[in-house]
Amino acid sequence: MIYFDNSATTKPYPEVLESFLKVSSDYFGNPSSLHGLGVQSEKLLSAARKQVADLLQVNSSEIYFTSGGTEGNNLAIKGAAHSRMNRGKHIITTAIEHPSVEDACQSLMHAGFEISILPVNESGQIELSDLKDALREDTVLVSIMHVNNEVGSVQPIAEVGKVLSQYPNVLFHVDNVQGAGKVPLSLREAYVDICTYSGHKIHGLKGTGFLYVREGVRIDPLFHGGNQETKIRSGTENVAGIVALSKAFRISMNNQLLYHDKLEQIKKHLYKGLMEMQGVLVNSPEEGAPHILNFSVPLLKSEVLLHALESDGIIVSTTSACSSKKRAVSKTVDAMFHDQARSESVIRISTTYGNGLDEAKQVLAAIQKIVANLEKIMRVAK
């Protein structure tokens, strides 16, 4: 099997699974308990928090563990909005955000918030001039993803942060679920106030994640109860999952340093091969993230090509995993090209550090064969 669906989820590293099992077996105490087993769990929790903070070059007190990207984005957006609603009720986001950002913003409209949505160009990027035009005196939050989950476009986060640093009333939230461990981002240098991460996108476990919240920024909690995570995220901490997450993050960040060029080489090979293929339109920008490549075959429905590839042992996806079962058009490709046929026929390839160039060659050959065969069948059917 060739697994090219790593933006949907990644296979956990063996070391991650070993850590989870070890901590679950030997350090299962509640970290809030006063007895020795609880104290041991609390120490592991603190060590994991410090490791994550050190990798991001921030303070341990700025890391809050969550259950993943969806919770992180909801906590960031709703928590920031509600904490600042006495200062204003205007939020800015983009047309290509993950549903956990888009729907969280939409839900705030019921509480009287107004949402401005920035368009993207054919490279899947916003224009800074559009952001500047959208900013108002009552703007309290800007939420922009770092790496798009469908096409891999990379937003100019540092430039956005520089603009927003001139607006002290505005908090800057970044969804970095797809960028973590693949595309560098300095939270400090980009003036990011809040940033979302997910464990299972970086070879950790599902149900784990963390939120960076810059010191001095206040967000309201979504959950109320035991006041864990400095009252921002109540609920007994998943210590084994968190320890596994910190290990996955360390390995992924190290792999980013060691194998980025290899990942880029695979993408370039796929990009060139797809660009030369008759009947195929490449949707991802050439200068985008090194691990995501999106293309369309306008004559074919996405599901047909996906299942044909699967029968050859190749696993890819259509839109994002969170939207693929809805049979909806790709909203990102639609926002970039405004072409329904192109938006209805997307395939996403997403790689990781364990993939090789030989796999990319096999996938290209399979796509070429399948597209040619299916086009013949469709011509006969007409």
Side-chain angles (χ1 to χ4, degrees):
M1 178 182 77
I2 297 176
Y3 185 72
F4 270 13
D5 194 18
N6 290 282
S7 287
T9 194
T10 53
K11 184 178 180 180
Y13 294 124
E15 301 94 321
V16 165
L17 295 174
E18 288 170 14
S19 288
F20 181 80
L21 186 60
K22 175 73 174 173
V23 175
S24 296
S25 302
D26 298 347
Y27 303 96
F28 56 86
N30 188 321
S32 297
S33 297
L34 296 178
H35 51 67
L37 207 54
V39 172
Q40 287 178 334
S41 292
E42 170 57 28
K43 284 181 179 176
L44 287 176
L45 189 61
S46 296
R49 198 185 310 276
K50 184 175 186 313
Q51 178 161 276
V52 169
D54 288 347
L55 289 166
L56 292 174
Q57 299 183 312
V58 301
N59 300 322
S60 292
S61 58
E62 296 173 311
I63 300 299
Y64 299 86
F65 291 111
T66 66
S67 66
T70 293
E71 184 191 331
N73 282 337
N74 272 269
L75 177 57
I77 291 166
K78 294 175 184 174
H82 285 299
S83 73
R84 297 210 157 203
M85 60 193 303
N86 61 339
R87 302 186 191 185
K89 286 190 169 184
H90 179 236
I91 295 171
I92 299 172
T93 187
T94 81
I96 61 169
E97 297 296 314
H98 186 271
S100 59
V101 169
E102 180 185 9
D103 292 351
C105 288
Q106 292 294 323
S107 76
L108 287 168
M109 292 176 68
H110 299 297
F113 284 85
E114 188 178 345
I115 314 296
S116 292
I117 298 175
L118 304 179
V120 294
N121 55 30
E122 289 197 353
S123 293
Q125 291 182 308
I126 63 161
E127 302 287 351
L128 286 179
S129 56
D130 288 335
L131 171 66
K132 291 174 183 174
D133 290 344
L135 284 163
R136 310 187 325 205
E137 282 190 8
D138 62 340
T139 304
V140 292
L141 176 67
V142 172
S143 181
I144 297 177
M145 69 190 342
H146 182 206
V147 174
N148 180 263
N149 54 314
E150 292 189 64
V151 301
S153 55
V154 180
Q155 299 301 332
I157 296 300
E159 289 86 345
V160 170
K162 192 173 180 183
V163 169
L164 296 181
S165 68
Q166 305 303 310
Y167 293 80
N169 194 42
V170 180
L171 290 178
F172 183 24
H173 166 246
V174 174
D175 173 359
N176 196 28
V177 166
Q178 293 291 344
K182 300 285 176 36
V183 181
L185 173 65
S186 169
L187 297 173
R188 296 284 194 231
E189 291 177 8
Y191 301 96
V192 175
D193 294 306
I194 312 169
C195 194
T196 305
Y197 296 82
S198 172
H200 76 103
K201 307 291 190 180
I202 54 170
H203 301 274
L205 301 174
K206 296 174 183 67
T208 62
F210 60 90
L211 195 65
Y212 160 78
V213 183
R214 182 176 59 77
E215 208 161 281
V217 170
R218 187 174 75 82
I219 61 174
D220 287 358
L222 293 180
F223 309 146
H224 298 88
N227 290 332
Q228 288 88 350
E229 297 297 296
T230 327
K231 299 183 179 179
I232 284 184
R233 203 273 184 180
S234 286
T236 303
E237 295 93 340
N238 173 9
V239 179
I242 289 168
V243 170
L245 166 64
S246 68
K247 179 159 285 191
F249 194 40
R250 178 177 60 77
I251 297 172
S252 291
M253 294 290 274
N254 193 48
N255 283 342
Q256 182 178 307
L257 293 173
L258 295 174
Y259 305 119
H260 176 273
D261 290 349
K262 178 187 169 190
L263 210 56
E264 192 71 51
Q265 183 189 19
I266 293 170
K267 182 193 167 181
K268 282 182 179 174
H269 184 81
L270 288 166
Y271 187 90
K272 183 172 182 293
L274 289 169
M275 287 290 286
E276 293 171 349
M277 212 174 285
Q278 193 172 3
V280 172
L281 298 172
V282 177
N283 301 316
S284 294
E286 188 172 8
E287 68 281 5
H291 60 300
I292 300 176
L293 191 53
N294 186 302
F295 66 96
S296 297
V297 186
L299 290 175
L300 301 175
K301 292 290 183 186
S302 303
E303 310 90 90
V304 175
L305 184 50
L306 180 145
H307 290 305
L309 285 167
E310 187 177 9
S311 67
D312 277 0
I314 297 166
I315 308 300
V316 296
S317 64
T318 52
T319 57
S320 71
C322 298
S323 305
S324 59
K325 290 187 178 177
K326 297 176 184 174
R327 296 181 182 276
V329 299
S330 164
K331 70 165 189 173
T332 300
V333 174
D334 188 51
M336 291 166 68
F337 301 104
H338 311 288
D339 181 335
Q340 186 172 347
R342 190 168 183 164
S343 307
E344 286 179 340
S345 57
V346 298
I347 290 289
R348 179 185 66 184
I349 291 171
S350 48
T351 59
T352 191
Y353 300 110
N355 291 125
L357 189 58
D358 56 327
E359 292 179 309
K361 291 177 180 175
Q362 289 181 57
V363 169
L364 272 181
I367 293 170
Q368 191 153 33
K369 181 192 73 177
I370 291 166
V371 169
N373 287 341
L374 288 174
E375 283 182 344
K376 278 182 196 171
I377 293 169
M378 290 180 71
R379 277 199 294 272
V380 171
K382 285 179 181 176

